[in-house]
């Protein structure tokens, strides 16, 4: 029996229509376009303005885009992994609702939360299910409505985040393509530096937590930046060394879109030319779980069968890692 590897066979993406530009942010908080662009590389981000729509809406749209482009029957999907840090609600899984809404009624689904590394961790999980031989079609969705947890009076965070979603389909491959290796790590020291303090079991919601804006994302930017630069670069470099890859062997770097300086530092450590680094942060900002699949959706035309692709991410918690994947198809 041939060895099964797990390959990405289709991608989809979705971002809302409303554009929140740096110029608009200048009217909301004490900041300016030059300051934001210089420090983050972000020019604009997309925002889901509808008050009655949550992360599930973004996820459904991204999944439907994939299904339509790949021309697959939703009933053939075996399982759905919903990578998100902003589920619609507590307890009731967002992934389960998404599965029903897209017609994947034969699939079981659940949510996976590892902050900005959620999709990267989800790639590992989806691949493991496929490689086990038990499941043939695993849909991995990364989606976040970050505007729902951002304090738009806090200039340290409101300039960074946007809303968006992306999806990929993992299927068995017998040509040796797909996920080759992974290096995933976490460190609980990060709990103090990037978090939403209230709303969980430690500090349940109350009038006081709402008044104190404790349900909004908070971060110690300098500390997070330092950890992110070091760990994303270290993980990516280790993956290359472990697989005897040089910078010439790498076709594409797909980095988490949190900050352009972090992306550049990771690419610099790997000595990769800018032309090999896929970046769309200037248009979307940090969509958390949505960044990696949105990059794939935006640059699908560039990816060719057999390409060596390195993924890297860093998120709150802290969580981080890198994945080496061989691309499995040419876009038709």
């Amino acid at each position: 029996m041939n060895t099964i590897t797990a390959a990405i066979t289709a991608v989809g993406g979705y971002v809302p229509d409303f554009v929140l530009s740096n110029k608009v942010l200048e009217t909301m908080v004490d900041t300016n376009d030059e300051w934001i662009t210089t420090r983050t590389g972000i020019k604009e981000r997309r925002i889901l303005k509808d008050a009655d729509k949550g992360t599930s809406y973004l996820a459904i749209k991204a999944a439907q885009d994939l299904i339509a482009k790949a021309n697959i029957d939703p009933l053939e999907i075996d399982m759905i992994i919903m990578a998100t840090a902003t589920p619609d609600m507590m307890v009731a899984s967002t992934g389960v609702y998404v599965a029903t809404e897209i017609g994947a009624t034969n699939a079981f689904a659940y949510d996976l939360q590892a902050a900005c590394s959620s999709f990267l961790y989800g790639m590992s999980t989806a691949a493991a299910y496929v490689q086990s031989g038990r499941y043939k079609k695993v849909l991995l969705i990364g989606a976040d409505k970050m505007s729902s947890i951002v304090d738009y009076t806090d200039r340290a965070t409101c300039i960074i985040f946007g809303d968006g979603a992306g999806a990929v389909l993992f299927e068995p491959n017998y040509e040796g393509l797909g996920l080759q290796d992974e290096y995933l790590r976490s460190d609980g020291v990060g709990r103090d530096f990037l978090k939403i303090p209230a709303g969980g079991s430690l500090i349940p919601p109350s009038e006081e937590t709402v008044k104190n804006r404790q349900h909004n994302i908070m971060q110690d930017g300098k500390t997070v930046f330092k950890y992110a630069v070091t760990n994303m670069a270290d993980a990516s470099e280790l993956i290359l060394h472990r697989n005897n890859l040089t910078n010439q062997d790498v076709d594409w770097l797909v980095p988490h879109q949190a900050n352009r300086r972090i992306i550049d530092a990771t690419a610099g450590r790997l000595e990769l030319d800018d032309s090999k680094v896929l970046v769309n942060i200037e248009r979307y900002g940090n969509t958390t779980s949505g960044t990696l699949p949105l990059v794939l959706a935006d640059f699908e035309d560039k990816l060719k069968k057999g390409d060596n692709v390195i993924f890297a991410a860093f998120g709150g918690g802290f969580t981080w890692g890198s994945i080496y994947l061989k691309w499995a198809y040419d876009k038709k």
Side-chain angles (χ1 to χ4, degrees):
M1 183 176 177
N2 293 333
T3 301
I4 300 173
T5 52
I8 292 174
T9 58
V11 303
Y14 176 78
V15 290
D17 293 331
F18 182 82
V19 176
L20 179 58
S21 67
N22 291 348
K23 289 296 184 183
V24 174
L25 277 175
E26 288 179 2
T27 69
M28 298 168 60
V29 290
D30 182 17
T31 191
N32 61 72
D33 174 65
E34 182 184 6
W35 193 92
I36 297 171
T37 304
T38 302
R39 285 162 178 78
T40 68
I42 302 168
K43 298 295 288 185
E44 57 189 39
R45 62 291 291 148
R46 300 298 185 95
I47 304 296
L48 182 59
K49 299 289 283 186
D50 309 62
D52 62 339
K53 292 183 173 68
T55 293
S56 61
Y57 178 81
L58 302 169
I60 290 165
K61 287 289 191 180
Q64 289 173 335
D65 181 52
L66 181 151
I67 288 167
K69 289 196 301 186
N71 192 30
I72 65 168
D73 183 350
L75 295 175
E76 295 178 356
I77 298 172
D78 298 309
M79 67 172 295
I80 294 175
I81 301 172
M82 179 76 223
T84 186
T86 56
D88 283 5
M89 60 183 74
M90 299 292 282
V91 182
S93 167
T94 301
V96 170
Y97 176 71
V98 169
T100 298
E101 289 300 297
I102 65 173
T105 52
N106 289 324
F108 75 97
Y110 61 86
D111 295 355
L112 188 156
Q113 207 282 77
C116 291
S117 300
S118 296
F119 189 85
L120 190 79
Y121 281 25
M123 290 177 67
S124 170
T125 308
Y129 276 114
V130 170
Q131 288 167 348
S132 74
R134 291 185 180 183
Y135 305 101
K136 303 295 186 185
K137 284 181 167 59
V138 178
L139 181 64
L140 169 62
I141 307 169
D144 273 303
K145 185 182 178 183
M146 294 304 292
S147 61
S148 67
I149 58 172
V150 167
D151 177 359
Y152 284 95
T153 67
D154 176 15
R155 67 175 183 176
T157 55
C158 74
I159 65 171
I160 298 169
F161 297 101
D163 303 338
V168 302
L169 185 68
F170 274 93
E171 294 187 272
N173 183 276
Y174 300 95
E175 301 177 89
L177 303 172
L179 197 146
Q180 305 293 307
D181 195 13
E182 63 182 48
Y183 178 77
L184 305 176
R185 288 294 181 270
S186 60
D187 187 344
V189 69
R191 178 165 150 134
D192 294 328
F193 303 115
L194 180 54
K195 61 186 176 182
I196 297 174
S201 60
L202 187 63
I203 307 176
S206 68
E207 184 178 348
E208 184 179 2
T209 63
V210 174
K211 187 189 304 180
N212 293 335
R213 299 180 184 272
Q214 289 176 277
H215 297 273
N216 296 121
I217 192 165
M218 300 177 181
Q219 75 168 351
D220 178 340
K222 289 184 178 179
T223 302
V224 173
F225 180 86
K226 181 182 70 174
Y227 273 90
V229 167
T230 301
N231 288 312
M232 267 182 63
D234 283 352
S236 303
E237 189 175 44
L238 184 144
I239 278 287
L240 259 63
H241 289 328
R242 199 156 75 180
N243 291 277
N244 299 313
L245 298 173
T246 69
N247 60 341
Q248 298 299 312
D249 298 317
V250 176
D251 293 293
W252 307 106
L253 173 66
V254 179
H256 171 50
Q257 311 286 303
N259 184 300
R260 184 61 197 248
R261 291 186 294 165
I262 297 173
I263 294 170
D264 290 344
T266 303
R269 176 77 74 82
L270 303 183
E271 299 181 344
L272 289 180
D273 187 83
D274 286 348
S275 63
K276 292 185 173 185
V277 185
L278 301 182
V279 180
N280 60 11
I281 190 173
E282 71 281 357
R283 289 184 288 132
Y284 305 142
N286 182 356
T287 57
T288 304
S289 307
T291 65
L292 297 181
L294 273 174
V295 168
L296 295 180
D298 276 1
F299 295 100
E300 187 183 11
D301 289 344
K302 288 180 173 286
L303 300 165
K304 304 301 178 187
K305 185 175 180 179
D307 279 356
N308 289 321
V309 185
I310 303 297
F311 294 81
F314 181 89
F318 290 128
T319 59
W320 71 93
S322 181
I323 282 178
Y324 165 35
L325 178 140
K326 279 187 173 291
W327 198 249
Y329 68 95
D330 297 321
K331 185 181 178 185
K332 297 176 182 178

